[in-house]
Amino acid sequence: MEADLYEEINGMIQLYLIRHSMTAGNLKKRYIGRTDESLCPEGIVLLESYIQKNIYPEVQRVYVSPMKRCMETAKLIFKENFYEVEELRECDFGIFENKNYKELSDCPEYQAWIDSGGTMTFPGGENPEEFRKRCVRGFEKVIKECRHDQIKSVAVVAHGGTIMSIMDRYARDENGQPDGSYYDYQVKNGEGYELIIADVSSGDGRICAGSDIWRSGMAVSSGADHWQMDIVFGKDTPEVCRRSGGE
């Protein structure tokens, strides 16, 4: 979308959800939640390759999870001007923390959690539903502050689970129905979604990016070369509508 199009619509915010780059635990497929890992060398190389491709936007403000992997990712991409948001932390995986599925294969608590469809509270950790609600509160705090301060472009550097929670809560199809579930919004390290957030409480209607801005569409990829997602905020209830043309 052309830059002047954003300016035509009152209250519009261009927001990027970016997952942190890789850590050693990510490489080993471990559950890394409260474990405060730094980026591993491979993660830094990956992020630098994306930076060299100039895929990340210039923004007025950057919000981050206070965890090292997010702070380090934000510093490499954006250098400065960070606002920490405690609610954007990753989930606490309890006794599963810093272990992978192979290491947990003989753990009865892990099997019980799998059998629950991932809905039961992590033993010694956080309840998945409460975690998602926490992430949504953090996201709504970001939007509220941006509106108050008249910020038009913003990045949120957070965790895979945080991004999935936000998308699970707000993503809707062209009929206003839920457009997938939590695990449909998995995103790779260093990649994310571009969101177009518009205040439609004035009655201007649903706004989606693209040549026809008044019509919602379908399908999107979270690939680094093709992030597209439109999010529309009404007076009380935000929603995301998929944009056509995704991979």
Side-chain angles (χ1 to χ4, degrees), residues 69-157:
R69 53 194 183 271
C70 293
M71 293 293 293
E72 292 171 3
T73 297
K75 287 178 181 177
L76 283 170
I77 298 173
F78 299 108
K79 311 302 182 186
E80 57 185 12
N81 197 28
F82 306 139
Y83 291 72
E84 295 183 30
V85 181
E86 184 70 24
E87 293 92 337
L88 297 179
R89 285 178 178 268
E90 182 59 284
C91 186
D92 181 347
F93 296 116
I95 66 172
F96 306 155
E97 186 73 30
N98 210 16
K99 296 181 176 68
N100 60 34
Y101 71 96
K102 290 183 179 179
E103 295 166 329
L104 292 167
S105 60
D106 295 327
C107 175
E109 292 90 347
Y110 184 65
Q111 188 58 55
W113 180 78
I114 293 294
D115 291 343
S116 77
T119 60
M120 67 178 288
T121 299
F122 291 102
E126 198 166 4
N127 177 274
E129 183 63 25
E130 291 305 312
F131 160 68
R132 296 175 195 183
K133 290 178 179 178
R134 166 169 64 79
C135 293
V136 168
R137 288 196 303 271
F139 181 68
E140 291 178 346
K141 178 190 293 185
V142 168
I143 300 305
K144 183 177 181 180
E145 289 186 5
C146 287
R147 283 198 172 133
H148 179 271
D149 298 340
Q150 298 185 335
I151 298 296
K152 299 299 183 182
S153 61
V154 59
V156 175
V157 181

Side-chain angles (χ1 to χ4, degrees), residues 11-242:
M12 179 170 282
I13 300 169
Q14 192 172 7
L15 185 146
Y16 300 86
L17 292 174
I18 302 171
R19 186 186 176 195
H20 63 81
S21 197
M22 290 183 295
T23 69
N26 292 152
L27 290 178
K28 296 178 180 179
K29 309 296 184 183
R30 297 183 186 278
Y31 288 92
I32 304 297
R34 67 172 184 271
T35 303
D36 203 9
E37 287 192 327
S38 291
L39 299 181
C40 62
E42 295 88 342
I44 294 173
V45 169
L46 174 68
L47 200 59
E48 289 178 341
S49 72
Y50 284 163
I51 293 170
Q52 289 175 0
K53 292 178 182 178
N54 200 34
I55 70 165
Y56 298 112
E58 292 185 6
V59 294
Q60 293 173 281
R61 183 174 291 179
V62 180
Y63 288 90
V64 296
S65 158
M67 306 196 79
K68 289 178 182 177
R69 53 194 183 271
C70 293
M71 293 293 293
E72 292 171 3
T73 297
K75 287 178 181 177
L76 283 170
I77 298 173
F78 299 108
K79 311 302 182 186
E80 57 185 12
N81 197 28
F82 306 139
Y83 291 72
E84 295 183 30
V85 181
E86 184 70 24
E87 293 92 337
L88 297 179
R89 285 178 178 268
E90 182 59 284
C91 186
D92 181 347
F93 296 116
I95 66 172
F96 306 155
E97 186 73 30
N98 210 16
K99 296 181 176 68
N100 60 34
Y101 71 96
K102 290 183 179 179
E103 295 166 329
L104 292 167
S105 60
D106 295 327
C107 175
E109 292 90 347
Y110 184 65
Q111 188 58 55
W113 180 78
I114 293 294
D115 291 343
S116 77
T119 60
M120 67 178 288
T121 299
F122 291 102
E126 198 166 4
N127 177 274
E129 183 63 25
E130 291 305 312
F131 160 68
R132 296 175 195 183
K133 290 178 179 178
R134 166 169 64 79
C135 293
V136 168
R137 288 196 303 271
F139 181 68
E140 291 178 346
K141 178 190 293 185
V142 168
I143 300 305
K144 183 177 181 180
E145 289 186 5
C146 287
R147 283 198 172 133
H148 179 271
D149 298 340
Q150 298 185 335
I151 298 296
K152 299 299 183 182
S153 61
V154 59
V156 175
V157 181
H159 308 271
T162 306
I163 293 171
M164 292 158 68
S165 297
I166 293 167
M167 301 304 294
D168 177 57
R169 170 63 180 83
Y170 296 124
R172 298 291 183 269
D173 64 18
E174 73 276 18
N175 297 313
Q177 299 302 309
D179 193 19
S181 60
Y182 180 79
Y183 292 105
D184 292 324
Y185 300 107
Q186 295 183 65
V187 60
K188 296 178 181 179
N189 294 105
E191 299 183 10
Y193 291 103
E194 176 185 2
L195 313 181
I196 307 304
I197 304 172
D199 184 356
V200 295
S201 58
S202 62
D204 291 334
R206 178 177 294 180
I207 301 169
C208 290
S211 58
D212 184 354
I213 64 170
W214 304 111
R215 186 177 303 168
S216 60
M218 291 287 291
V220 68
S221 166
S222 67
D225 295 328
H226 191 80
W227 334 351
Q228 301 178 74
M229 180 63 71
D230 308 310
I231 183 166
V232 180
F233 271 69
K235 183 175 181 181
D236 299 309
T237 306
E239 60 182 11
V240 172
C241 45
R242 294 277 199 170

